[in-house]
Amino acid sequence: AGFEIGVQRTVPLSADEAWRRLTGPDGVRAWLGDAPSLRLEVGEAYRLADGTAGEVRIVAEGERVRITRHPNGWARASTIQIRVTPKGEKSVIAFHEENLPDAEAREARRAHFQEAIAEIVKH
């Protein structure tokens, strides 16, 4: 499966609020990029300004999303999985991305998802 990365954090948000923030326009921009017309519906395709393209594969409302991501220059698309799990009055936000091309991309994506979670919690 190539290189992969997982980032998770317990956040001071209910699972419903964490899901709302993750899937709202600001949340999607934080973890995916600027895809203003993207609807999180199975089969929905997207293309970012930098040429990155992909498709929504799975949406389990309130729980998880699976989406492909294929930046220019990568031999194949990666798969991003996002989960929100209730944990009492808090929740756990988890990102997992597989099929990354190398260790450098893995570390870049780790930092990206850590920043995305921080951004989502802030707003």
Side-chain angles (χ1 to χ4, degrees):
F3 289 82
E4 58 186 71
I5 183 62
V7 172
Q8 70 176 23
R9 182 171 153 201
T10 300
V11 298
L13 304 170
S14 69
D16 288 344
E17 179 64 12
W19 180 260
R20 186 186 66 73
R21 291 185 188 194
L22 274 165
T23 59
D26 291 338
V28 172
R29 193 171 16 266
W31 59 264
L32 181 63
D34 195 15
S37 63
L38 177 65
R39 294 184 321 258
L40 290 176
E41 297 175 4
V42 174
E44 178 79 5
Y46 71 89
R47 180 169 299 277
L48 306 178
D50 67 1
T52 297
E55 180 180 316
V56 178
R57 295 291 174 87
I58 294 174
V59 178
E61 190 67 31
E63 295 178 19
R64 66 188 169 105
V65 171
R66 182 176 297 174
I67 190 168
T68 61
R69 178 179 170 270
H70 196 174
N72 286 332
W74 285 19
R76 64 180 179 168
S78 67
T79 300
I80 300 171
Q81 298 178 72
I82 305 164
R83 289 188 181 274
V84 175
T85 307
K87 188 174 183 179
E89 294 179 5
K90 301 178 181 181
S91 60
V92 176
I93 296 175
F95 288 92
H96 182 265
E97 188 168 6
E98 57 191 33
N99 298 323
L100 297 167
D102 54 35
E104 185 178 326
R106 179 181 59 203
E107 294 313 308
R109 297 302 286 167
R110 179 191 323 269
H112 171 78
F113 289 129
Q114 289 169 337
E115 290 171 16
I117 292 172
E119 187 68 23
I120 288 160
V121 170
K122 250 185 0 189
H123 297 285

